[in-house]
Amino acid sequence: MSVVPVSYYLALSAVLFGLGVIAFVFKRNIITIFMSIELMLNAVNLAFVAFARAHNQLDGLVFVFFVIVVAAAEAAVGLAIVIMIAQNRQSLSVERMNLLKF
Amino acid sequence: MSLPVILFFLCGALAVAGAILLIAAREPIHSALALILVMVALAVLYLLLGAPFVAAVQIIVYAGAIMVLFVFVIMLLNMGVEERTDFSQIAKYFGIPLGGVLIVWAAYWLLHSRPAAAIGTGSGMEASSTRGLSTLLFRQYLFPFEATSILILIAILGALVLARKEE
């Protein structure tokens, strides 16, 4: 029987999460920042599924389901906010959003 | 090298390449397409892990619904390439070294943790995966499941209120 060790999946999940964090910090476009959040959620989902497989328990898959639902709700509300910001300020750069900056 | 291992490395490399492309791209639409690549590669990995339902939901909801929403908003706003700015001095002299220390510490901790079990790809769970998942979802997790439907409803109302034109 062919096997892939669970640590491989966890390493891939960690790499994807790290790349998501880097994208979150370095990107300046608010939509791309949103997409890096989705990337991090995907990395966490991969870890959930790998652990569910390793322990032969389905609860991890239920959690993945809830994470996807919450991500969908977050994308709907977040993109509505993005559209509102773009209409008010004519820009999507987070550098321009400094009204609350000290 | 057996087939699942080759498939894992192929899809893992595709996912990492997509994530790097997301960071490197200057046009938001290119970032969105790169993210779709990551999601499809992860769906193949879910199939490899014996979770076909999660793989289908990943394709339909993530790559289908959510990313279409992203692409739609990007094309609706059409704000062009993102502008790059220098990042602050504190980030340059403290943030990057601290991030490096964190990565090295996490790698050290991972290397010295208990070795994890190997995952088979052809045993037990996958035949009854979707059936077991639905049983779990509609019995043990029924209340959270119903709560998510209310969450979605509130999210729809919130998006409508936010995106509405002021009278």
Side-chain angles (χ1 to χ4, degrees):
Chain A
M1 194 180 75
S2 49
V3 287
V4 181
V6 64
S7 53
Y8 286 19
Y9 288 100
L10 296 180
L12 177 63
S13 167
V15 167
L16 286 178
F17 191 89
L19 286 170
V21 172
I22 290 172
F24 184 86
V25 173
F26 277 87
K27 298 303 269 187
R28 286 288 168 267
N29 187 308
I30 195 165
I31 297 179
T32 327
I33 289 175
F34 248 107
M35 285 193 278
S36 58
I37 295 175
E38 301 291 332
L39 180 60
M40 286 190 268
L41 287 171
N42 268 287
V44 171
N45 280 351
L46 181 64
F48 266 128
V49 177
F51 274 124
R53 187 68 182 146
H55 295 277
N56 254 338
Q57 292 224 326
L58 288 169
D59 299 62
L61 302 186
V62 177
F63 255 88
V64 169
F65 181 77
F66 287 135
V67 168
I68 290 175
V69 170
V70 171
E74 174 232 318
V77 176
L79 287 172
I81 294 174
V82 167
I83 289 178
M84 213 175 65
I85 289 172
Q87 281 171 352
N88 285 338
R89 320 215 70 185
Q90 316 299 331
S91 167
L92 287 179
S93 172
V94 284
E95 297 284 316
R96 303 280 178 82
M97 292 159 208
N98 48 11
L99 270 179
L100 287 176
K101 207 170 178 181
F102 180 61
Chain B
M1 292 282 268
S2 54
L3 187 63
V5 178
I6 293 169
L7 207 58
F8 171 82
F9 278 110
L10 190 67
C11 290
L14 269 180
V16 172
I20 291 171
L21 209 61
L22 187 150
I23 299 173
R26 295 200 63 179
E27 298 264 2
I29 191 78
H30 295 166
S31 294
L33 295 178
L35 190 55
I36 292 175
L37 176 69
V38 176
M39 284 165 177
V40 172
L42 283 183
V44 177
L45 287 179
Y46 293 156
L47 279 179
L48 204 61
L49 279 164
F53 179 74
V54 176
V57 167
Q58 170 90 0
I59 292 286
I60 294 170
V61 177
Y62 252 131
I66 296 180
M67 288 318 292
V68 165
L69 201 61
F70 270 98
V71 171
F72 189 72
V73 168
I74 290 168
M75 293 193 165
L76 185 72
L77 296 178
N78 193 20
M79 288 290 183
V81 298
E82 71 173 332
E83 42 192 89
R84 295 238 162 113
T85 47
D86 294 336
F87 48 112
S88 71
Q89 298 294 310
I90 304 174
K92 202 180 283 175
Y93 293 117
F94 289 96
I96 292 176
L98 274 179
V101 167
L102 182 70
I103 287 172
V104 170
W105 177 74
Y108 177 84
W109 182 78
L110 274 177
L111 280 177
H112 289 260
S113 61
R114 198 164 48 91
I119 307 177
T121 46
S123 66
M125 199 170 86
E126 66 212 289
S128 61
S129 171
T130 306
R131 174 181 292 180
L133 187 63
S134 54
T135 310
L136 207 58
L137 199 57
F138 288 106
R139 295 234 171 99
Q140 198 181 337
Y141 291 99
L142 181 63
F143 180 70
F145 179 74
E146 296 295 339
T148 54
S149 60
I150 295 176
L151 175 76
I152 289 282
L153 185 66
I154 294 172
I156 294 169
L157 291 178
L160 275 177
V161 169
L162 281 172
R164 178 190 56 169
K165 278 256 191 290
E166 293 295 327
E167 297 290 318

